[in-house]
Amino acid sequence: SYDFIVVGAGSAGCVVASRLSEDPNVSVLLIEAGGNNQTFAVRSPFLTCPHLQNSEKDWAFRTVPQERTDGRVSCWPRGKTLGGSSSINYMLYVRGDRRNYDQWAKELGCTGWSYDEGLPFFL
């Protein structure tokens, strides 16, 4: 019996499970469909990352043929391992566009979500 079950041990799932488990009065179960990410292939991303996509560490999702791309099918690599997609994407992240954050703060009333307010959390 668990108080919380977190499905998916990607970056966000691991953080959620970690934060929940800070309360010693609750029990947390973190479930991941994939395996361990402590392998040479994952730990050496600049050497092996091109080989992680379409491997056992990737769900290997594909889109349906897209009308506006002349019927092409796009690859949507998604990590199937501890660390999720962060483990198969060269361990890179892309910060969102300043205009999006500022729009959320100004037009949608999301106090504290402007680009400048959020920037310290990305550093």
Side-chain angles (χ1 to χ4, degrees), residues 24-46:
N25 299 312
V26 301
S27 59
V28 180
L29 174 65
L30 176 61
I31 299 173
E32 170 57 45
N36 192 335
N37 68 349
Q38 298 301 302
T39 64
F40 177 78
V42 174
R43 295 178 63 85
S44 307
F46 290 105

Side-chain angles (χ1 to χ4, degrees), residues 45-109:
F46 290 105
L47 299 174
T48 62
C49 194
H51 306 290
L52 289 172
Q53 294 181 8
N54 297 309
S55 75
E56 73 282 352
K57 301 226 180 279
D58 181 9
W59 286 102
F61 292 139
R62 302 292 183 266
T63 66
V64 296
Q66 299 295 302
E67 179 182 322
R68 294 181 185 247
T69 63
D70 293 328
R72 288 190 303 248
V73 172
S74 295
C75 300
W76 284 75
R78 307 305 304 155
K80 184 180 177 185
T81 184
L82 290 173
S85 297
S86 294
S87 291
I88 68 167
N89 71 359
Y90 292 91
M91 296 185 201
L92 300 174
Y93 78 95
V94 177
R95 193 176 303 150
D97 187 289
R98 171 184 288 273
R99 294 169 294 186
N100 292 131
Y101 292 100
D102 290 343
Q103 179 186 23
W104 297 335
K106 291 177 185 170
E107 297 176 23
L108 302 177

